[in-house]
Amino acid sequence: IINKGHQTEKNIIQGVSGVAGDILDCMTGEVYLYQSVGLLEDLTETAKEMGFDVSKTYPAVRSLLEVSGRQYGFPRNISVIFYWANVDAFERVGMSAPPDVWTVEEFERIGKQFVQASNKAGEPQSVYLNRNITYGTRWQLARSMGLDFYNETMTKSNFDHPIYHEVCEITYGWINDLNIIPTKAEAEALTADSSVTRVEIHLFAKGNFGLMNAGRYGLMYFRQVGPYNLSISEFPHKGYRNTFISGGAEAVYAGSKHKDLAVYFMKFLSSEAFNRGIVENGDGLPPIPKYAESKEFLYPEKYPNEWGLHGRGTEMAKEIAIPYSFSPFMLAKTLVRLEQKAFDKLITDRSSIEDALSALDKAVETEIERKANESTESLEHYQKLLKIQAEIDRLRSWGEMVPLELISNPFYKRYYVEKGWALPEGNEG
């Protein structure tokens, strides 16, 4: 029996009560959450013996499957997020599809041109470059300027940093100055509510939105309703190209009475049959990378309009994709809620950027400290990480190399190596 995903609280209550399913379906970041309350079976040795250890999937998702170097899950699919572009919508107004890689300045110029050409003067605006600016878009943009929303040890937020102020100024301008992104009210007027729905996909197919942020899984909808003439673009950057990698994962419930059967299901996730199923149905990238290099993946016989698209997501997964950062002292959904609340206030001019981000930073700090003080073990871990952070700060201030093992934030692990501030893993000596 598999516990259904998207029901985190219910799954935890059932697990702690001893009645969870044999397999826990984990969304991005939930492997760590479930393991932190003792719900998951340590699969490290079993996975190596049965061939579904973390070395079999994309290196970038390793931090989503392991806790303190021990494996607790394996992916059922991989999502790399980017912009899909409706090529016909751009060509209708005499424009080429957006470039594969673009800067923020290019994004703004193209967006302004597209919106001006697509909307009739004197009539209400109905065409935008993209439907909304998500928290992920803001966090990706900050990363492109060298800043993650947590510090290196994920013991403090960076929301009150000058770079994040700039991120909010940029995205504020997209909505309120350039009008290439609708306000929340304008988006809801078009799509009936504020969530990602099939209505949004239909409007993307019609050309009301030139872009849609999603992963390869978007094809499951586009194959039904369009658009059929598509291209892919990375998110706009300000120097450091990056995107997020995530996906669903399965884990074995520690209280399962059928662990022997449960681990066989985990092994099935690495099988040819399962991976070819993901290749065919379009639900993200297959967990085993070699199947994303097959002819069936790159050139699906039923969908010749998609030839040349599928491999781009795989390239991003290998070259620029980095997982979200998950602090041991902050629930991801709490962080998202607090950040979105702050952005909604500043974007509607109910607060200045400075006041909104200062309040957000304090709220996150309060939550981290509250969580750290929940138990003696948690407090000891928090204090240990604070000392590590102080050492990282000291080394950086003196321009010295930072040992990679000191860094727990997956973004900074990649960023420090690429900036030459730390040696790659395995080369610390």
Side-chain angles (χ1 to χ4, degrees):
I1 300 174
I2 300 177
N3 272 60
K4 187 177 180 181
H6 299 287
Q7 297 183 2
T8 307
E9 293 84 355
K10 181 179 179 181
N11 290 343
I12 290 176
I13 292 171
Q14 290 178 338
V16 172
S17 303
V19 292
D22 300 296
I23 299 288
L24 288 172
D25 184 37
C26 303
M27 305 308 293
T28 300
E30 289 185 344
V31 167
Y32 183 92
L33 175 61
Y34 289 160
Q35 189 276 337
S36 70
V37 290
L39 296 187
L40 303 187
E41 183 77 5
D42 187 335
L43 300 171
T44 310
E45 279 72 33
T46 302
K48 289 178 181 177
E49 292 171 3
M50 300 184 70
F52 62 91
D53 59 280
V54 292
S55 70
K56 300 298 190 294
T57 190
Y58 296 89
V61 300
R62 184 168 181 166
S63 67
L64 301 176
L65 306 171
E66 290 186 324
V67 179
S68 301
R70 308 295 294 178
Q71 181 178 350
Y72 292 90
F74 195 79
R76 52 177 164 77
N77 65 352
I78 302 293
S79 293
V80 176
I81 308 302
F82 46 76
Y83 278 134
W84 288 101
N86 182 337
V87 177
D88 289 336
F90 285 90
E91 291 183 344
R92 276 198 295 267
V93 294
M95 297 177 64
S96 301
D100 178 32
V101 179
W102 48 354
T103 64
V104 167
E105 293 74 21
E106 290 170 322
F107 177 83
E108 293 177 348
R109 176 181 56 79
I110 292 171
K112 186 175 180 180
Q113 181 183 354
F114 174 72
V115 166
Q116 288 179 342
S118 302
N119 290 281
K120 295 181 180 179
E123 295 185 6
Q125 183 172 345
S126 61
V127 177
Y128 299 86
L129 183 61
N130 190 40
R131 183 183 182 276
N132 60 5
I133 300 298
T134 67
Y135 62 87
T137 305
R138 294 189 288 277
W139 296 352
Q140 174 274 333
L141 183 54
R143 283 180 166 188
S144 81
M145 292 186 268
L147 184 82
D148 190 58
F149 49 91
Y150 286 128
N151 64 6
E152 290 85 345
T153 54
M154 298 185 286
T155 51
K156 189 181 186 305
S157 90
N158 282 324
F159 288 125
D160 204 15
H161 191 284
I163 286 179
Y164 211 75
H165 283 241
E166 184 178 352
V167 166
C168 289
E169 289 171 357
I170 290 170
T171 51
Y172 180 98
W174 292 351
I175 296 172
N176 292 322
D177 298 330
L178 298 177
N179 304 120
I180 59 177
I181 309 293
T183 64
K184 189 174 182 180
E186 290 169 337
E188 290 177 358
L190 286 170
T191 59
D193 60 46
S194 59
S195 63
V196 176
T197 65
R198 288 183 180 269
V199 175
E200 179 188 359
I201 296 168
H202 279 281
L203 290 172
F204 174 58
K206 286 174 57 182
N208 292 85
F209 306 120
L211 304 175
M212 183 171 177
N213 44 315
R216 181 175 179 261
Y217 59 84
L219 291 171
M220 294 191 296
Y221 305 100
F222 305 150
R223 287 171 176 176
Q224 299 176 46
V225 302
Y228 302 101
N229 191 9
L230 293 156
S231 69
I232 289 174
S233 297
E234 295 178 12
F235 289 114
H237 70 87
K238 284 186 73 68
Y240 185 76
R241 292 167 53 205
N242 72 97
T243 189
F244 288 106
I245 190 167
S246 58
E250 306 302 315
V252 176
Y253 174 45
S256 168
K257 296 180 175 60
H258 310 97
K259 291 180 184 177
D260 54 338
L261 298 177
V263 295
Y264 274 106
F265 178 81
M266 301 295 292
K267 179 178 175 60
F268 173 64
L269 299 177
S270 66
S271 69
E272 179 176 353
F274 180 83
N275 280 263
R276 290 198 180 280
I278 299 295
V279 167
E280 183 176 349
N281 65 30
D283 189 13
L285 301 178
I288 306 299
K290 71 177 183 180
Y291 294 102
E293 299 170 356
S294 65
K295 180 180 178 181
E296 293 80 5
F297 179 85
L298 297 172
Y299 305 102
E301 185 177 351
K302 295 180 182 178
Y303 308 102
N305 61 299
E306 296 173 6
W307 292 5
L309 297 176
H310 293 265
R312 192 65 188 92
T314 309
E315 290 174 0
M316 292 185 199
K318 295 178 178 179
E319 297 171 5
I320 66 169
I322 307 171
Y324 289 92
S325 308
F326 295 99
S327 171
F329 312 106
M330 189 85 183
L331 288 176
K333 70 175 185 177
T334 302
L335 182 74
V336 169
R337 175 178 57 80
L338 291 173
E339 196 272 356
Q340 187 64 55
K341 180 180 178 181
F343 186 74
D344 287 345
K345 288 182 68 175
L346 69 88
I347 208 68
T348 54
D349 295 318
R350 291 180 288 126
S351 172
S352 67
I353 291 176
E354 291 74 16
D355 289 345
L357 295 184
S358 176
L360 170 61
D361 200 65
K362 290 176 183 177
V364 174
E365 183 177 353
T366 297
E367 180 63 21
I368 287 175
E369 291 180 351
R370 184 196 66 78
K371 183 70 174 177
N373 282 281
E374 280 189 346
S375 67
T376 301
E377 181 182 9
S378 180
L379 183 59
E380 289 176 350
H381 184 41
Y382 177 64
Q383 291 173 338
K384 177 182 178 181
L385 289 175
L386 289 180
K387 292 179 180 179
I388 292 174
Q389 185 65 50
E391 176 63 7
I392 293 172
D393 294 341
R394 185 192 69 80
L395 291 170
R396 289 290 303 124
S397 68
W398 285 93
E400 298 181 19
M401 299 289 281
V402 177
L404 203 59
E405 66 268 17
L406 296 182
I407 303 172
S408 48
N409 185 317
F411 169 72
Y412 287 120
K413 274 185 174 290
R414 172 84 68 85
Y415 191 72
Y416 268 53
V417 170
E418 295 190 11
K419 295 292 286 186
W421 299 343
L423 293 174
E425 194 170 12
N427 293 280
E428 288 79 359

